[in-house]
């Protein structure tokens, strides 16, 4: 799905992933996925300021989520000072996901993460 570069799109992106994952993955994995979707979507709104595309798919027991936007600046993981207001997003993505990466595209960049978990009805 394509989302506008505005704050309300972050909630819309979370909602889409939540509906997609309902009854397909354990509740803990769904909660982690929604937090990470929030982070990647927020980054797209805040830094790219262009429409962003979110896609999610299940690959066996793995959730794969991608966010593409028009910025060519790749995210980096930093460990912010304890008093810093922000800067923890990719630190969370790095710590909570099973895998993640970022790559340049013709239009900007793609950032993705994966969460491993068995399918579940909880």
């Amino acid at each position: 799905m394509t989302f506008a570069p505005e704050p309300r799109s972050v909630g819309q992106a979370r909602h889409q992933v939540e509906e997609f994952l309902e009854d397909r993955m354990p509740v803990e994995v769904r909660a982690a996925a929604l937090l990470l979707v929030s982070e990647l979507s927020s980054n797209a709104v805040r830094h790219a300021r262009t429409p962003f595309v979110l896609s999610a798919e299940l690959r066996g027991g793995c959730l794969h989520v991608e966010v593409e936007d028009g910025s060519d600046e790749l995210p980096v993981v930093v460990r912010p000072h304890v008093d810093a207001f922000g800067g923890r997003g990719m630190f969370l993505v790095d710590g909570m996901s099973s895998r993640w990466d970022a790559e340049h595209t013709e239009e900007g960049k793609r950032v993705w993460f994966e969460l491993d978990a068995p399918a579940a009805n909880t």
Side-chain angles (χ1 to χ4, degrees):
M1 292 193 74
T2 301
F3 297 91
E6 54 195 31
R8 70 184 179 114
S9 293
V10 176
Q12 293 169 342
R14 268 194 315 267
H15 183 71
Q16 291 297 318
V17 172
E18 182 176 39
E19 282 187 355
F20 172 70
L21 291 178
E22 190 173 357
D23 296 330
R24 293 185 178 169
M25 300 203 91
V27 66
E28 302 84 17
V29 176
R30 294 192 320 253
L34 295 181
L35 177 61
L36 300 181
V37 164
S38 290
E39 203 44 59
L40 296 188
S41 300
S42 294
N43 284 350
V45 169
R46 181 178 301 123
H47 301 294
R49 297 185 180 109
T50 63
F52 66 95
V53 176
L54 179 136
S55 62
E57 66 178 310
L58 295 174
R59 298 174 178 176
C62 176
L63 169 66
H64 180 89
V65 175
E66 296 183 354
V67 172
E68 294 187 42
D69 64 44
S71 171
D72 63 356
E73 186 176 337
L74 297 179
V76 294
V77 176
V78 296
R79 188 176 188 107
H81 186 271
V82 68
D83 294 331
F85 180 72
R88 290 171 176 77
M90 292 310 296
F91 185 74
L92 286 173
V93 172
D94 186 57
M96 294 180 68
S97 66
S98 301
R99 289 163 295 287
W100 78 274
D101 204 356
E103 56 210 15
H104 289 108
T105 65
E106 287 186 24
E107 295 81 26
K109 72 171 172 299
R110 174 183 308 114
V111 184
W112 60 266
F113 70 84
E114 292 181 335
L115 292 171
D116 294 330
N121 293 326
T122 60

